[in-house]
């Protein structure tokens, strides 16, 4: 079915007609599903220390764009070491907060601006 449709839409007059029909389609605006997105993590160190936490961020697509912009800005400013890394590995867990996320951790929270690697037994 799709190959036939592709061939039909390769005809300029039919393609223009299809685009014209699709441009008149209206959809009902939907309310935003939720104000925040959440990410969950459980970390366990070799000595058995366990820590659980949540990352609270804005709306998912908006937060993704914020992280991308933050990574671009930090990389352009030379904030990373050379090599192939994931954004969090290259720039650290503070990237999520820099992009507008908030960590909600079990136990005492680290001081603002402190790295999240303050759990007992974490390798230095």
């Amino acid at each position: 079915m799709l190959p036939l449709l592709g061939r039909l839409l390769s005809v300029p007059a039919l393609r223009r007609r299809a685009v014209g029909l699709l441009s008149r389609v209206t959809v009902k605006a939907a309310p935003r599903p939720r104000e925040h997105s959440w990410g969950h993590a459980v970390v366990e160190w070799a000595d058995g220390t366990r820590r659980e936490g949540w990352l609270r961020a804005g709306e998912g697509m908006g937060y993704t764009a914020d992280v991308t912009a933050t990574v671009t800005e930090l990389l352009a400013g030379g904030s990373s070491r050379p090599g192939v890394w994931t954004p969090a590995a290259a720039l650290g867990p503070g990237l999520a907060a820099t992009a507008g996320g908030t960590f909600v951790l079990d136990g005492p929270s680290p001081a603002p601006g402190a790295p999240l690697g303050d759990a007992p037994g974490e390798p230095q």
Side-chain angles (χ1 to χ4, degrees):
M1 177 74 178
L2 287 179
L4 174 62
L5 183 60
R7 284 193 156 213
L8 288 172
L9 291 176
S10 69
V11 176
L14 291 176
R15 184 173 49 244
R16 282 192 302 273
R17 176 76 174 142
V19 168
L21 289 171
L22 285 173
S23 69
R24 288 190 292 273
V25 172
T26 58
V27 293
K28 184 177 108 181
R32 293 178 73 165
R34 60 183 166 263
E35 188 176 336
H36 299 100
S37 296
W38 293 89
H40 180 248
V42 177
V43 179
E44 190 165 335
W45 284 265
D47 68 356
T49 303
R50 186 174 192 269
R51 193 142 187 212
E52 183 173 2
W54 293 84
L55 171 66
R56 177 181 152 184
E59 184 272 326
M61 294 205 45
Y63 183 69
T64 300
D66 292 343
V67 170
T68 303
T70 302
V71 167
T72 302
E73 183 180 327
L74 291 171
L75 290 177
S79 295
S80 181
R81 57 192 186 272
V84 179
W85 310 95
T86 63
L91 302 167
L95 170 63
T98 302
T102 304
F103 287 101
V104 180
L105 306 170
D106 67 343
S109 294
L116 293 179
D118 63 347
E122 178 179 336
Q124 296 297 321

